[in-house]
């Protein structure tokens, strides 16, 4: 069995234990065995990052550009091979997986560019003869904790800006997907970074994640994952005075107005709710549909769902891969039951499927006749389960869309410029989509949400520097 180790202080080292990595679409396929760190190994990684920080933060932007550009180039060149690994490990279809690896490559290339872009300001003081400079400096050692749903792209959109802005990294991937994390770390290990600048510590959240969050040597933590874990980090990380960025769940609405182009509405709904097996924080889970189009829309969505192929992600013609884990599958199926107990109608799907290979397959589910107060419309399910809420008009649709603790992404399908603009202005979400699925975002612009979905500055695009740098204001007087 192939054993893959942690990367600490520039060396590959065994952990305190080993964890096996199983393909969710083919339970007979074991990808390998991966090291699990303990608290001491996390501390070694933090210490190595601290030692590396001084020289690394003083190296030239060109050195940072070169390393990031090399990592991005290799990801792009190997997107097919790494995409297959991603499908085997996480389940999403090969097309989705290859696109995710390419996205990770583009993110490294983008942040290579950020490393050599000027970020400062220089201006006059309000006092005579005094000049003011505003510059950005790295924060220090950053701990990066990531979920399993985008095992290449999310690590990339944290690691790349951290390094671009001169920080050192201690990276903990989700325990479900060490293979992608290890492959990425292996590429990073050959990119010319000095020892200790980048460290990989695989293992569980309760051991490795906690040790990162509580280590006084970690100046900042960026986390993507569930709201529950995020709230715990708020206590641990903010409580000790360190910087924190949280990207958490969503309960994203897709509003469909009477004047919507039905094929567009159906594509937005099916893509947004069910592609990537619904395991996207930006997935649509509430279709909020105006009365006049409701029945036509529901019938057309069901027709489209009947044509979707659920199966093994490496097979041709598959639209939806397996659910990523047994516990996530159980959660999805239980919400299908909860919805029906609350009075929803299961209009399509929602059952476990068997396939030639054993895995966690399920038919995407559509619940109709639901109301905004039902649990299926309030709690994040994180699977291919969507519900339909009938509304009278735009005003009611907007109110229902905003009636949620979350605020990540919100979409509307309409031909009305007036309603599209009003939705863009008044949706309480970090990202708004017009005639597009709620999921599927560009890599060069900010990403993030409001309310219970996010905490701290935005990720991605140039805005990422707000988290990964500290601002310094310097005054100079020449007598
Ligand atoms: P999760 O259970 O919160 O785990 C996320 C990461 O935190 C994992 O690496 C996990 O390790 C670690 N962790 C768990 N307990 C911890 C603790 N006590 N201290 C420190 N770290 C800890 O989330 P998930 O199940 O992997 O992912 C699904 C969630 O991610 C959904 O809620 C989804 O909405 C959210 N998500 C949000 C975004 C966004 O940008 N808003 C993007 C993608 C996903 P283990 O793997 O060992 O548990
Ligand atoms: Mg989890």
């Amino acid at each position: 069995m192939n054993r893959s180790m942690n990367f600490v202080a520039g060396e590959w080292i065994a952990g305190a234990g080993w964890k096996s990595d199983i393909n969710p679409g083919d339970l007979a396929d074991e990808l390998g065995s991966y090291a699990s760190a303990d608290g001491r190994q996390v501390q070694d990684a933090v210490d190595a990052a601290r030692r590396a920080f001084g020289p690394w933060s003083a190296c030239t932007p060109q050195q940072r550009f070169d390393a990031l550009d090399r990592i991005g180039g290799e990801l792009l060149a190997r997107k097919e091979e790494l995409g297959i690994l991603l499908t085997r490990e996480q389940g999403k279809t090969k097309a989705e997986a290859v696109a995710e690896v390419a996205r990770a490559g583009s993110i490294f290339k983008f942040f290579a560019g950020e490393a050599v872009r000027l970020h400062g300001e220089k201006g006059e003081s309000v006092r005579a003869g005094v000049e003011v400079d505003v510059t950005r400096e790295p924060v220090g050692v950053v701990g990066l904790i990531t979920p399993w749903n985008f095992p290449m792209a999310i690590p990339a959109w944290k690691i790349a800006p951290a390094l671009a802005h001169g920080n050192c990294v201690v990276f903990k991937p989700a325990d479900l997907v060490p293979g992608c994390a290890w492959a990425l770390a292996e590429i990073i290990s050959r990119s010319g970074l000095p020892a200790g600048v980048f460290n990989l510590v695989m293992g569980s959240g309760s051991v490795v994640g906690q040790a990162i969050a509580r280590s006084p040597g970690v100046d900042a933590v960026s986390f993507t994952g569930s709201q529950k874990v995020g709230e715990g980090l708020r206590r641990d990380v903010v409580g000790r005075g360190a910087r924190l960025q949280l990207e958490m769940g969503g309960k994203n609405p897709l509003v469909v107005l009477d004047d919507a182009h039905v094929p567009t509405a159906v594509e937005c709904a099916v893509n947004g709710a069910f592609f990537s097996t619904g395991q996207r924080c930006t997935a649509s889970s509430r279709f909020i549909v105006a009365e006049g189009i409701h029945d036509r829309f529901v019938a057309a969505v069901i027709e489209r769902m009947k044509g979707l192929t659920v199966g093994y992600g490496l097979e041709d013609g598959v639209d939806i891969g397996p659910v990523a884990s047994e516990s996530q599958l159980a959660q999805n199926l239980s919400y299908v039951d909860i919805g029906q107990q609350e009075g929803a109608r299961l209009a399509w799907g929602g059952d476990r499927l068997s396939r030639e290979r054993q895995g966690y397959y399920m038919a995407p589910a559509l619940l109709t006749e639901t109301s905004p107060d039902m649990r299926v419309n309030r709690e994040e399910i994180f699977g291919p389960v969507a519900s339909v809420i009938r509304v009278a008009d735009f005003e009611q649709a907007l109110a229902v869309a905003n009636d949620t603790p979350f605020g990540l992404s919100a979409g509307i399908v309409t031909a009305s410029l007036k309603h599209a603009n009003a939705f863009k202005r008044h949706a309480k979400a970090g990202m708004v989509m017009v005639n597009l699925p709620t999921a599927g975002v560009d890599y060069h612009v900010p990403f993030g949400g409001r309310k219970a979905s996010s905490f701290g500055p935005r990720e991605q695009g140039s805005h990422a520097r707000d988290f990964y740098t500290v601002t310094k204001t310097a005054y100079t007087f020449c007598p």
Side-chain angles (χ1 to χ4, degrees):
M1 175 54 57
N2 189 13
R3 286 190 153 188
S4 301
M5 294 190 267
N6 283 324
F7 189 62
V8 175
E11 313 264 354
W12 294 102
I13 52 167
W18 299 95
K19 165 107 200 274
S20 103
D21 191 7
I22 305 289
N23 181 337
D26 182 359
L27 302 181
D29 178 24
E30 185 174 0
L31 280 79
S33 173
Y34 291 84
S36 301
D38 58 10
R40 230 203 66 214
Q41 200 166 66
V42 173
Q43 200 46 52
D44 290 345
V46 173
D47 292 344
R50 287 237 73 87
R51 286 194 301 276
F53 178 61
W56 173 241
S57 61
C59 84
T60 64
Q62 185 65 45
Q63 280 173 278
R64 287 180 257 144
F65 173 94
D66 289 342
L68 293 169
D69 188 59
R70 212 168 285 145
I71 298 164
E74 183 165 342
L75 286 166
L76 289 167
R78 293 174 56 196
K79 66 180 182 183
E80 282 282 318
E81 167 214 340
L82 294 170
I84 291 170
L85 169 73
L86 202 165
T87 296
R88 283 178 61 211
E89 180 167 61
Q90 196 272 352
K92 65 181 69 177
T93 67
K94 187 180 163 198
E96 291 169 337
V98 171
E100 182 180 337
V101 177
R103 180 191 176 91
S106 298
I107 288 168
F108 273 97
K109 292 269 185 181
F110 175 88
F111 284 105
E114 281 292 278
V116 291
R117 222 156 272 143
L118 290 177
H119 296 295
E121 297 161 49
K122 187 173 180 70
E124 280 179 288
S125 165
V126 294
R127 288 170 279 166
V130 176
E131 280 187 352
V132 183
D133 314 307
V134 181
T135 52
R136 301 262 186 172
E137 294 181 1
V139 177
V141 173
V142 300
L144 307 178
I145 302 176
T146 57
W148 47 260
N149 62 330
F150 284 94
M152 280 281 180
I154 295 178
W157 80 52
K158 295 185 192 296
I159 295 166
L163 297 175
H165 293 295
N167 300 284
C168 292
V169 168
V170 176
F171 166 43
K172 183 219 134 16
D175 222 11
L176 203 58
V177 287
C180 286
W182 190 89
L184 180 58
E186 196 279 324
I187 292 172
I188 295 173
S189 77
R190 291 183 281 99
S191 66
L193 297 176
V197 169
F198 171 83
N199 303 274
L200 169 73
V201 277
M202 298 177 284
S204 75
S206 54
V207 175
V208 178
Q210 277 290 287
I212 290 173
R214 292 183 178 166
S215 170
V218 175
D219 301 294
V221 173
S222 178
F223 164 87
T224 298
S226 63
Q227 202 197 349
K228 186 164 156 266
V229 174
E231 288 310 318
L233 290 174
R234 220 195 273 253
R235 286 191 304 275
D236 289 340
V237 179
V238 178
R240 63 177 179 81
R243 191 178 276 214
L244 179 66
Q245 179 178 56
L246 302 174
E247 287 299 344
M248 300 172 285
K251 196 69 207 169
N252 309 296
L254 179 75
V255 168
V256 180
L257 296 185
D258 285 339
D259 61 10
H261 180 240
V262 173
T264 301
V266 170
E267 262 335 284
C268 289
V270 169
N271 175 321
F274 306 131
F275 287 4
S276 296
T277 322
Q279 298 169 153
R280 293 185 285 188
C281 52
T282 47
S284 315
S285 58
R286 297 179 297 144
F287 302 152
I288 300 167
V289 186
E291 217 139 41
I293 199 170
H294 178 279
D295 295 356
R296 272 184 297 147
F297 169 79
V298 168
V301 168
I302 292 171
E303 252 338 277
R304 180 77 173 84
M305 289 174 80
K306 288 180 182 166
L308 294 171
T309 303
V310 177
Y312 186 51
L314 293 179
E315 272 166 19
D316 289 338
V318 167
D319 300 300
I320 296 177
V323 175
S325 69
E326 192 170 13
S327 62
Q328 185 64 54
L329 175 65
Q331 176 167 315
N332 299 346
L333 297 173
S334 92
Y335 272 107
V336 172
D337 287 343
I338 289 167
Q340 292 177 93
Q341 281 158 24
E342 290 180 307
R345 195 169 81 80
L346 179 61
W348 180 257
D351 42 341
R352 188 169 185 175
L353 301 173
S354 61
R355 291 289 176 264
E356 195 188 318
R357 293 178 175 78
Q358 255 198 56
Y360 307 125
Y361 296 100
M362 91 171 258
L366 186 70
L367 297 164
T368 56
E369 313 305 334
T370 75
S371 60
D373 54 313
M374 289 180 178
R375 284 182 62 193
V376 286
N377 283 325
R378 304 215 71 83
E379 297 167 17
E380 186 181 50
I381 300 172
F382 215 61
V385 181
S387 51
V388 183
I389 304 171
R390 192 192 295 261
V391 290
D393 54 16
F394 173 75
E395 281 67 33
Q396 195 190 355
L398 178 66
V400 171
N402 285 336
D403 177 18
T404 167
F406 295 105
L408 189 56
S409 181
I412 188 166
V413 188
T414 179
S416 156
L417 186 60
K418 181 181 135 194
H419 287 144
N421 277 336
F423 192 76
K424 279 198 277 188
R425 172 70 186 80
H426 298 293
K428 291 191 174 65
M431 297 173 290
V432 181
M433 314 291 181
V434 176
N435 296 322
L436 287 167
T438 56
V441 296
D442 289 358
Y443 67 82
H444 69 307
V445 287
F447 177 96
R450 296 185 184 179
K451 302 199 277 183
S453 290
S454 294
F455 176 78
R458 288 283 180 266
E459 298 200 81
Q460 302 194 62
S462 297
H463 287 237
R465 70 170 175 255
D466 292 339
F467 181 74
Y468 292 102
T469 62
V470 283
T471 300
K472 180 175 279 173
T473 313
Y475 298 88
T476 312
F477 177 60
C478 296

